[in-house]
Amino acid sequence: MTLTLKQASRRLEQLCQAEHLNVFEHHNGVGRVVIPVLTEHVHTALDDGPAEQYEFFRARATHAHALNADFHICHNQVSVTVCHVTQTVKFGPGGQLIMGRRGIGLGPSLMATVIKWLHSKKIPTYSIEPGDLSRVDATTEGERLQRNRFYTAFGFSLWTTFTSERGLDVVDGHFGAVNVGCLTVPDRYQNRLRTWQAFENALGDERLEGVKNLAELKDIDRWISGKAWLSRLLLNFLKWPLPFRTRHKHPLKPWEVTPENTMTENLSVKQ
C-alpha cells in the first residue's frame, strides 16, 4: 500500500530524534521572554519502501497550555515531510499551522527554520502538496490578513477550491507552491532563533556584568552610609538617579563579587 505524505508524516513524527535546542526571544513590554525551540529529524524507510525514502523535519516551541507536557501535540510547531521517490513535500502538522501565541514572530521563525532546512537539502524541483489554511487564524479581517501575509511572505500561493478568491483575499482555502525553489525566507526572519549555546554564553556575560554593577553599587552605598546626611545631600544636588539602599549591609551571596575585588579590577583596567 502506498502511503500518502500525511500518513507518512504521522508515523515519522513518532520516529524523529531531537537534533538541536534553540531559543526564541521577544519583549512583552515589561521584560524579555525566552521560549525554547527544538528541532527534530529522521531519514528512513517505511514498510517495504526504498531505503531512506522519507525525511521528516520539525521545529517546535514549548507551549504554556500543553497538557502535562512542555510541547503541545500539534500547536506551536511547523513540520515538513519529504518523499524522495515521488519528489514531493508536504508541510504540517496536518497542513494547518496554529500558534498558541500570535503576533510575536514565533510562527515566522519556525517556518523560516523549516524552509532553510529544505533549501539545505538541495531539492528545489520537488513539488509541494497543498496544505489547508486554518480558520482559527481568520476570525476577523485583521487576523485573516495577518495569516495570509505570513504565507505569502515565504513565497506560498493562496487559493480557494470553489471560488475565485486568491492571495490576501482568501478566507477558507489552501496554501502551496509549485516547488521548493519558489519558497524564500525574508531577511527579517533569517536569524530570529539562537542556538542554546550562544544564548547561554550571552546570559553568562550579562550575569557577570550585573554582578559587577551590583558590587559597585554596594561600594557607593557604603560610602553614603559612612558620610551620612552630607553625602546624601550631595548626591541629591547632583541628581543621583538611584535612591539610597543598604545593600552593603546584607551578607554576600555565594555568586557575588566582593566590592573590593571589583574596584581593584576597574582600577587595573583604567591603568
Coordinates of all heavy atoms in Angstrom, one line a residue, residues 188-266:
R188 N 14.1 39.6 7.4 CA 13.7 39.9 8.8 C 13.5 38.6 9.7 O 13.5 38.7 10.9 CB 12.5 40.7 8.9 CG 11.2 40.1 8.3 CD 10.1 41.0 8.3 NE 8.9 40.5 7.7 CZ 8.5 40.5 6.4 NH1 9.4 41.0 5.5 NH2 7.4 40.0 6.0
Y189 N 13.5 37.4 9.0 CA 13.3 36.2 9.7 C 14.5 35.3 9.6 O 14.4 34.1 10.1 CB 12.1 35.4 9.2 CG 10.8 36.2 9.3 CD1 9.9 36.3 8.2 CD2 10.4 36.8 10.4 CE1 8.7 37.0 8.2 CE2 9.2 37.6 10.5 CZ 8.4 37.6 9.4 OH 7.2 38.3 9.5
Q190 N 15.6 35.8 9.1 CA 16.8 34.9 8.9 C 17.4 34.4 10.2 O 17.8 33.3 10.3 CB 17.8 35.7 8.0 CG 17.5 35.8 6.6 CD 17.6 34.5 5.8 OE1 18.2 33.5 6.3 NE2 17.1 34.4 4.6
N191 N 17.5 35.3 11.2 CA 18.3 34.9 12.4 C 17.5 35.2 13.6 O 18.0 35.7 14.6 CB 19.6 35.7 12.4 CG 20.5 35.4 11.2 OD1 20.8 34.2 10.9 ND2 20.8 36.4 10.4
R192 N 16.2 34.8 13.6 CA 15.4 35.0 14.8 C 15.6 34.0 15.9 O 15.4 34.3 17.1 CB 13.9 35.0 14.4 CG 13.4 36.1 13.6 CD 13.6 37.5 14.3 NE 12.8 37.5 15.6 CZ 11.6 37.8 15.7 NH1 10.9 38.2 14.6 NH2 11.0 37.8 16.9
L193 N 16.2 32.8 15.6 CA 16.5 31.8 16.6 C 18.0 31.8 16.9 O 18.8 32.1 16.0 CB 16.1 30.4 16.1 CG 14.6 30.2 15.9 CD1 14.4 28.7 15.5 CD2 13.7 30.5 17.1
R194 N 18.3 31.6 18.2 CA 19.7 31.5 18.6 C 19.9 30.1 19.1 O 19.0 29.5 19.8 CB 20.0 32.5 19.7 CG 20.2 33.9 19.2 CD 21.2 34.7 20.1 NE 20.5 35.0 21.4 CZ 21.2 35.7 22.4 NH1 22.5 36.0 22.2 NH2 20.6 36.0 23.5
T195 N 21.1 29.6 18.9 CA 21.4 28.3 19.5 C 21.4 28.4 21.0 O 21.7 29.5 21.5 CB 22.7 27.7 19.0 OG1 23.8 28.6 19.5 CG2 22.8 27.7 17.5
W196 N 21.2 27.3 21.7 CA 21.2 27.3 23.2 C 22.6 27.7 23.7 O 22.7 28.5 24.7 CB 20.8 26.0 23.7 CG 20.9 26.0 25.2 CD1 21.9 25.5 26.0 CD2 20.0 26.6 26.2 NE1 21.7 25.7 27.3 CE2 20.5 26.4 27.4 CE3 18.8 27.2 26.0 CZ2 19.8 26.8 28.6 CZ3 18.1 27.7 27.1 CH2 18.6 27.5 28.4
Q197 N 23.6 27.2 23.0 CA 25.0 27.6 23.5 C 25.3 29.0 23.4 O 25.8 29.6 24.3 CB 26.0 26.8 22.6 CG 27.4 26.9 23.1 CD 27.6 26.3 24.5 OE1 27.2 25.2 24.8 NE2 28.1 27.1 25.4
A198 N 24.8 29.7 22.3 CA 25.0 31.1 22.1 C 24.2 31.9 23.1 O 24.7 32.9 23.7 CB 24.7 31.6 20.7
F199 N 23.0 31.4 23.4 CA 22.2 32.1 24.4 C 22.8 32.0 25.8 O 22.8 32.9 26.6 CB 20.8 31.5 24.3 CG 19.9 31.9 25.5 CD1 19.3 33.2 25.5 CD2 19.6 31.0 26.6 CE1 18.5 33.6 26.6 CE2 18.8 31.4 27.6 CZ 18.3 32.7 27.6
E200 N 23.3 30.8 26.1 CA 23.9 30.5 27.4 C 25.1 31.4 27.6 O 25.3 31.9 28.7 CB 24.2 29.0 27.6 CG 24.7 28.7 29.0 CD 25.1 27.2 29.0 OE1 25.5 26.6 28.0 OE2 24.9 26.6 30.1
N201 N 25.9 31.5 26.6 CA 27.1 32.3 26.7 C 26.8 33.8 26.9 O 27.4 34.5 27.8 CB 28.0 32.2 25.5 CG 28.6 30.8 25.3 OD1 28.7 30.1 26.3 ND2 29.0 30.4 24.1
A202 N 25.8 34.3 26.2 CA 25.4 35.7 26.3 C 24.8 35.9 27.7 O 25.0 37.0 28.3 CB 24.4 36.1 25.2
L203 N 24.0 34.9 28.2 CA 23.4 35.1 29.5 C 24.4 35.1 30.6 O 24.3 35.9 31.6 CB 22.4 33.9 29.7 CG 21.5 34.0 30.9 CD1 20.5 35.2 30.7 CD2 20.7 32.7 31.1
G204 N 25.5 34.3 30.4 CA 26.6 34.3 31.4 C 27.3 35.7 31.4 O 27.6 36.2 32.5
D205 N 27.5 36.3 30.3 CA 28.1 37.6 30.2 C 27.3 38.6 30.9 O 27.8 39.5 31.6 CB 28.4 38.0 28.7 CG 29.5 37.1 28.1 OD1 30.2 36.4 28.9 OD2 29.5 37.0 26.8
E206 N 25.9 38.6 30.6 CA 25.0 39.5 31.2 C 25.0 39.4 32.7 O 25.0 40.4 33.4 CB 23.6 39.3 30.7 CG 23.4 39.7 29.2 CD 22.0 39.4 28.7 OE1 21.1 39.2 29.6 OE2 21.8 39.5 27.5
R207 N 25.0 38.2 33.2 CA 25.0 38.0 34.7 C 26.3 38.5 35.3 O 26.3 39.1 36.4 CB 24.9 36.5 35.0 CG 24.8 36.2 36.5 CD 24.5 34.8 36.8 NE 24.5 34.6 38.3 CZ 24.2 33.5 38.8 NH1 23.8 32.4 38.1 NH2 24.2 33.3 40.2
L208 N 27.5 38.2 34.7 CA 28.7 38.7 35.2 C 28.7 40.2 35.3 O 29.2 40.8 36.3 CB 29.9 38.2 34.3 CG 31.3 38.6 34.7 CD1 31.6 38.2 36.1 CD2 32.3 38.1 33.7
E209 N 28.2 40.9 34.2 CA 28.2 42.3 34.2 C 27.2 42.8 35.3 O 27.5 43.8 36.0 CB 27.7 42.8 32.8 CG 27.7 44.3 32.6 CD 29.2 44.9 32.6 OE1 30.1 44.1 32.3 OE2 29.3 46.0 33.0
G210 N 26.1 42.1 35.5 CA 25.2 42.5 36.6 C 25.8 42.4 37.9 O 25.6 43.3 38.8
V211 N 26.6 41.3 38.1 CA 27.2 41.1 39.4 C 28.2 42.2 39.7 O 28.3 42.8 40.8 CB 27.9 39.7 39.5 CG1 28.8 39.6 40.7 CG2 26.9 38.6 39.5
K212 N 29.0 42.6 38.7 CA 30.0 43.7 38.9 C 29.3 45.0 39.2 O 29.7 45.8 40.0 CB 30.8 43.8 37.6 CG 31.8 42.6 37.4 CD 32.7 42.8 36.2 CE 33.7 41.7 36.1 NZ 34.5 41.8 34.9
N213 N 28.2 45.3 38.5 CA 27.4 46.5 38.7 C 26.9 46.6 40.1 O 26.9 47.6 40.8 CB 26.3 46.7 37.7 CG 26.8 46.9 36.3 OD1 27.9 47.4 36.1 ND2 26.0 46.7 35.3
L214 N 26.4 45.4 40.6 CA 25.9 45.4 42.0 C 27.0 45.6 43.0 O 26.7 46.3 44.0 CB 25.2 44.0 42.2 CG 24.7 43.8 43.6 CD1 23.6 44.8 43.9 CD2 24.1 42.3 43.7
A215 N 28.2 45.1 42.7 CA 29.3 45.3 43.7 C 29.6 46.8 43.7 O 29.9 47.3 44.8 CB 30.5 44.5 43.2
E216 N 29.6 47.5 42.6 CA 29.9 48.9 42.5 C 28.9 49.7 43.3 O 29.2 50.7 44.0 CB 30.0 49.3 41.1 CG 31.3 48.8 40.4 CD 31.3 49.1 38.9 OE1 30.4 49.8 38.5 OE2 32.3 48.8 38.2
L217 N 27.6 49.3 43.2 CA 26.5 50.0 43.9 C 26.7 49.8 45.4 O 26.4 50.7 46.2 CB 25.2 49.4 43.4 CG 24.7 49.9 42.1 CD1 23.4 49.2 41.7 CD2 24.4 51.4 42.1
K218 N 27.2 48.6 45.8 CA 27.4 48.4 47.2 C 28.5 49.3 47.7 O 28.5 49.8 48.9 CB 27.7 46.9 47.5 CG 26.5 46.0 47.4 CD 26.8 44.6 47.9 CE 25.5 43.8 47.9 NZ 25.7 42.5 48.5
D219 N 29.5 49.5 46.9 CA 30.6 50.4 47.2 C 30.1 51.8 47.5 O 30.4 52.5 48.4 CB 31.7 50.5 46.1 CG 32.8 49.5 46.4 OD1 32.8 48.8 47.5 OD2 33.6 49.3 45.5
I220 N 29.2 52.3 46.6 CA 28.6 53.6 46.7 C 27.7 53.7 48.0 O 27.7 54.7 48.7 CB 27.8 53.9 45.5 CG1 28.7 54.0 44.2 CG2 27.0 55.2 45.6 CD1 27.9 54.1 42.9
D221 N 27.0 52.6 48.2 CA 26.1 52.6 49.4 C 27.0 52.7 50.7 O 26.6 53.4 51.7 CB 25.3 51.3 49.5 CG 24.2 51.3 48.4 OD1 23.9 52.3 47.9 OD2 23.6 50.2 48.2
R222 N 28.1 52.0 50.7 CA 29.0 52.0 51.9 C 29.5 53.4 52.1 O 29.6 53.9 53.2 CB 30.1 51.0 51.7 CG 31.0 50.9 52.9 CD 32.1 49.9 52.7 NE 31.6 48.5 52.6 CZ 31.5 47.8 51.5 NH1 31.8 48.4 50.4 NH2 31.0 46.6 51.5
W223 N 29.9 54.1 51.0 CA 30.4 55.5 51.1 C 29.3 56.4 51.6 O 29.6 57.3 52.5 CB 30.9 55.9 49.7 CG 31.4 57.3 49.7 CD1 32.7 57.7 50.1 CD2 30.8 58.5 49.3 NE1 32.8 59.1 50.0 CE2 31.6 59.5 49.4 CE3 29.5 58.7 48.7 CZ2 31.3 60.8 49.1 CZ3 29.2 60.0 48.4 CH2 30.1 61.0 48.5
I224 N 28.1 56.2 51.1 CA 27.0 57.1 51.5 C 26.7 56.9 53.0 O 26.5 57.8 53.7 CB 25.7 56.8 50.7 CG1 25.9 57.2 49.2 CG2 24.5 57.6 51.2 CD1 24.8 56.8 48.3
S225 N 26.7 55.6 53.4 CA 26.4 55.3 54.8 C 27.4 55.9 55.7 O 27.1 56.4 56.8 CB 26.3 53.8 55.0 OG 26.0 53.5 56.3
G226 N 28.7 55.9 55.3 CA 29.7 56.4 56.1 C 29.7 57.9 56.2 O 30.1 58.5 57.2
K227 N 29.2 58.6 55.2 CA 29.2 60.1 55.2 C 27.9 60.6 55.7 O 27.7 61.8 55.9 CB 29.4 60.6 53.7 CG 30.7 60.2 53.1 CD 31.9 60.7 53.9 CE 33.2 60.2 53.2 NZ 34.4 60.7 54.0
A228 N 26.9 59.7 55.9 CA 25.6 60.1 56.5 C 24.9 61.2 55.6 O 24.9 61.1 54.4 CB 25.8 60.5 57.9
W229 N 24.3 62.1 56.3 CA 23.4 63.1 55.6 C 24.1 64.0 54.6 O 23.5 64.4 53.6 CB 22.6 63.9 56.7 CG 23.5 64.8 57.4 CD1 24.2 64.6 58.6 CD2 23.8 66.2 57.0 NE1 24.9 65.7 59.0 CE2 24.7 66.7 58.0 CE3 23.5 67.0 56.0 CZ2 25.2 68.0 58.0 CZ3 24.0 68.3 55.9 CH2 24.9 68.8 56.9
L230 N 25.4 64.3 54.9 CA 26.1 65.2 54.0 C 26.2 64.6 52.6 O 26.0 65.3 51.6 CB 27.4 65.6 54.6 CG 28.3 66.5 53.7 CD1 27.5 67.9 53.6 CD2 29.6 66.7 54.4
S231 N 26.6 63.3 52.5 CA 26.8 62.7 51.2 C 25.5 62.5 50.5 O 25.4 62.6 49.3 CB 27.4 61.3 51.4 OG 26.6 60.5 52.3
R232 N 24.4 62.2 51.2 CA 23.1 62.1 50.6 C 22.7 63.5 50.0 O 22.1 63.5 48.9 CB 22.0 61.6 51.6 CG 22.4 60.3 52.2 CD 21.3 59.8 53.1 NE 21.8 58.8 54.0 CZ 21.1 58.1 54.9 NH1 19.8 58.4 55.1 NH2 21.6 57.2 55.7
L233 N 22.9 64.5 50.8 CA 22.6 65.9 50.3 C 23.4 66.2 49.0 O 22.9 66.7 48.0 CB 22.9 66.9 51.4 CG 22.6 68.4 51.0 CD1 21.1 68.5 50.8 CD2 23.1 69.3 52.1
L234 N 24.7 65.8 49.0 CA 25.5 66.0 47.8 C 24.9 65.2 46.6 O 24.9 65.7 45.5 CB 26.9 65.6 48.1 CG 27.9 65.6 46.9 CD1 28.0 67.1 46.4 CD2 29.3 65.1 47.3
L235 N 24.6 63.9 46.8 CA 24.0 63.1 45.7 C 22.7 63.7 45.2 O 22.4 63.7 44.0 CB 23.9 61.7 46.1 CG 25.2 60.9 46.3 CD1 24.8 59.5 46.8 CD2 26.0 60.9 45.0
N236 N 21.9 64.2 46.1 CA 20.6 64.8 45.7 C 20.9 66.0 44.8 O 20.2 66.3 43.8 CB 19.8 65.2 46.9 CG 19.1 64.0 47.6 OD1 18.9 63.0 46.9 ND2 18.9 64.1 48.9
F237 N 21.9 66.8 45.2 CA 22.3 68.0 44.5 C 22.8 67.6 43.1 O 22.5 68.3 42.1 CB 23.4 68.8 45.2 CG 23.9 70.0 44.5 CD1 23.1 71.1 44.4 CD2 25.1 69.9 43.8 CE1 23.6 72.2 43.7 CE2 25.6 71.0 43.1 CZ 24.8 72.2 43.1
L238 N 23.5 66.5 43.0 CA 24.0 66.0 41.7 C 23.0 65.2 40.9 O 23.3 64.7 39.9 CB 25.2 65.2 41.9 CG 26.4 65.9 42.6 CD1 27.5 64.9 42.9 CD2 27.0 67.0 41.6
K239 N 21.7 65.1 41.5 CA 20.6 64.4 40.8 C 21.0 62.9 40.6 O 20.8 62.4 39.5 CB 20.2 65.1 39.5 CG 19.7 66.5 39.7 CD 19.3 67.1 38.4 CE 18.7 68.5 38.6 NZ 18.3 69.2 37.3
W240 N 21.5 62.3 41.7 CA 21.8 60.9 41.6 C 20.5 60.1 41.3 O 19.5 60.3 42.1 CB 22.5 60.5 42.9 CG 22.8 59.0 43.0 CD1 22.2 58.1 43.8 CD2 23.8 58.3 42.3 NE1 22.7 56.9 43.6 CE2 23.8 57.0 42.7 CE3 24.8 58.7 41.4 CZ2 24.6 56.0 42.2 CZ3 25.6 57.8 40.9 CH2 25.6 56.4 41.3
P241 N 20.4 59.3 40.3 CA 19.2 58.7 39.9 C 18.7 57.6 40.8 O 17.5 57.2 40.7 CB 19.5 58.2 38.5 CG 20.9 57.9 38.5 CD 21.5 58.9 39.4
L242 N 19.5 57.0 41.6 CA 19.1 55.8 42.4 C 18.9 56.2 43.9 O 19.8 56.9 44.4 CB 20.2 54.7 42.3 CG 20.4 54.1 40.9 CD1 21.5 53.1 41.0 CD2 19.1 53.5 40.3
P243 N 17.9 55.7 44.5 CA 17.7 56.0 45.9 C 18.7 55.3 46.8 O 19.2 54.2 46.4 CB 16.2 55.5 46.2 CG 16.0 54.4 45.2 CD 16.8 54.9 44.0
F244 N 19.0 55.8 47.9 CA 19.9 55.2 48.8 C 19.4 53.8 49.3 O 18.3 53.7 49.7 CB 20.2 56.1 50.0 CG 21.1 55.4 51.1 CD1 22.4 55.1 50.8 CD2 20.5 55.2 52.3 CE1 23.1 54.5 51.8 CE2 21.3 54.5 53.3 CZ 22.6 54.2 53.1
R245 N 20.3 52.8 49.3 CA 19.9 51.5 49.8 C 21.0 51.0 50.7 O 22.1 51.6 50.7 CB 19.9 50.5 48.6 CG 18.9 50.9 47.5 CD 17.6 50.3 47.6 NE 16.8 50.6 46.5 CZ 15.5 51.0 46.5 NH1 14.9 51.2 47.7 NH2 14.8 51.2 45.4
T246 N 20.7 50.0 51.5 CA 21.7 49.5 52.4 C 22.1 48.1 51.9 O 22.2 47.1 52.7 CB 21.2 49.4 53.9 OG1 20.0 48.7 53.8 CG2 20.9 50.8 54.4
R247 N 22.4 48.0 50.7 CA 22.8 46.7 50.1 C 24.0 46.1 50.7 O 24.2 44.9 50.9 CB 23.0 46.9 48.6 CG 21.7 46.9 47.7 CD 22.0 47.3 46.3 NE 22.4 48.7 46.2 CZ 21.7 49.6 45.5 NH1 20.6 49.2 44.9 NH2 22.1 50.8 45.4
H248 N 25.0 47.0 51.1 CA 26.3 46.6 51.6 C 26.2 45.9 52.9 O 27.1 45.3 53.4 CB 27.2 47.8 51.6 CG 26.9 48.8 52.7 ND1 25.8 49.6 52.5 CD2 27.5 49.0 53.9 CE1 25.8 50.4 53.6 NE2 26.7 50.1 54.4
K249 N 25.0 46.1 53.6 CA 24.9 45.6 55.0 C 24.3 44.2 55.0 O 24.3 43.5 56.0 CB 24.0 46.5 55.8 CG 24.6 47.9 56.1 CD 23.7 48.7 57.0 CE 24.3 50.1 57.2 NZ 23.5 50.9 58.1
H250 N 23.9 43.7 53.8 CA 23.4 42.3 53.7 C 24.6 41.4 53.4 O 25.5 41.7 52.6 CB 22.4 42.2 52.6 CG 21.2 43.0 52.8 ND1 20.2 42.7 53.8 CD2 20.7 44.2 52.3 CE1 19.2 43.6 53.8 NE2 19.5 44.5 52.9
P251 N 24.6 40.2 53.9 CA 25.6 39.2 53.6 C 25.8 38.9 52.1 O 24.8 38.9 51.4 CB 25.2 37.9 54.3 CG 24.2 38.4 55.4 CD 23.5 39.6 54.8
L252 N 27.0 38.7 51.6 CA 27.2 38.5 50.2 C 26.7 37.1 49.8 O 26.8 36.1 50.6 CB 28.7 38.5 49.9 CG 29.4 39.9 49.9 CD1 30.9 39.7 49.6 CD2 28.8 40.8 48.8
K253 N 26.0 37.0 48.7 CA 25.6 35.7 48.1 C 26.9 35.0 47.6 O 27.9 35.6 47.3 CB 24.6 35.9 47.0 CG 23.4 36.8 47.3 CD 22.5 36.1 48.3 CE 21.2 36.8 48.4 NZ 21.3 38.3 48.8
P254 N 26.8 33.6 47.5 CA 28.0 32.9 47.1 C 28.5 33.3 45.7 O 29.7 33.2 45.4 CB 27.5 31.4 47.0 CG 26.3 31.4 48.0 CD 25.7 32.8 47.9
W255 N 27.5 33.8 44.8 CA 27.9 34.2 43.5 C 28.4 35.6 43.3 O 28.8 36.0 42.2 CB 26.8 33.9 42.5 CG 25.4 34.4 43.0 CD1 24.5 33.8 43.7 CD2 24.9 35.8 42.8 NE1 23.4 34.6 44.0 CE2 23.7 35.8 43.5 CE3 25.4 36.9 42.3 CZ2 22.9 37.0 43.5 CZ3 24.7 38.1 42.3 CH2 23.4 38.1 42.9
E256 N 28.3 36.4 44.4 CA 28.6 37.8 44.3 C 30.1 38.1 44.3 O 30.9 37.4 45.0 CB 28.0 38.6 45.4 CG 26.5 38.8 45.2 CD 25.9 39.7 46.3 OE1 25.9 39.4 47.5 OE2 25.4 40.8 45.9
V257 N 30.5 39.1 43.5 CA 31.9 39.6 43.6 C 32.0 40.5 44.7 O 31.1 41.4 44.9 CB 32.3 40.2 42.2 CG1 33.7 40.8 42.3 CG2 32.1 39.3 41.1
T258 N 33.1 40.5 45.5 CA 33.3 41.4 46.6 C 33.6 42.8 46.0 O 34.3 43.0 45.0 CB 34.4 41.0 47.5 OG1 35.6 41.0 46.7 CG2 34.2 39.7 48.1
P259 N 33.0 43.9 46.6 CA 33.2 45.2 46.1 C 34.7 45.6 45.9 O 35.1 46.2 45.0 CB 32.5 46.1 47.1 CG 31.5 45.2 47.8 CD 32.1 43.8 47.8
E260 N 35.5 45.1 46.9 CA 37.0 45.4 46.9 C 37.6 44.9 45.6 O 38.4 45.6 44.9 CB 37.7 44.9 48.1 CG 37.3 45.6 49.4 CD 36.0 45.1 49.9 OE1 35.4 44.1 49.4 OE2 35.4 45.8 50.9
N261 N 37.3 43.6 45.3 CA 37.8 43.0 44.1 C 37.4 43.7 42.8 O 38.1 43.9 41.9 CB 37.4 41.5 44.0 CG 38.1 40.7 45.0 OD1 39.1 41.1 45.6 ND2 37.6 39.5 45.3
T262 N 36.1 44.1 42.8 CA 35.6 44.8 41.6 C 36.3 46.1 41.4 O 36.7 46.5 40.3 CB 34.1 45.0 41.8 OG1 33.4 43.8 42.0 CG2 33.5 45.7 40.6
M263 N 36.4 46.9 42.5 CA 37.1 48.2 42.4 C 38.5 48.0 41.9 O 39.0 48.8 41.1 CB 37.0 49.0 43.7 CG 35.6 49.3 44.2 SD 34.6 50.3 43.0 CE 35.5 51.8 43.2
T264 N 39.2 47.0 42.4 CA 40.6 46.7 42.0 C 40.7 46.4 40.5 O 41.5 46.9 39.8 CB 41.2 45.6 42.9 OG1 41.1 45.9 44.2 CG2 42.6 45.3 42.5
E265 N 39.7 45.6 40.1 CA 39.7 45.2 38.7 C 39.5 46.5 37.8 O 40.1 46.7 36.8 CB 38.6 44.2 38.4 CG 38.8 42.9 39.0 CD 37.7 41.9 38.8 OE1 36.7 42.3 38.1 OE2 37.7 40.8 39.3
N266 N 38.5 47.3 38.2 CA 38.3 48.6 37.5 C 39.5 49.5 37.4 O 39.8 50.1 36.3 CB 37.1 49.3 38.1 CG 35.8 48.6 37.9 OD1 35.7 47.7 37.0 ND2 34.8 48.9 38.7

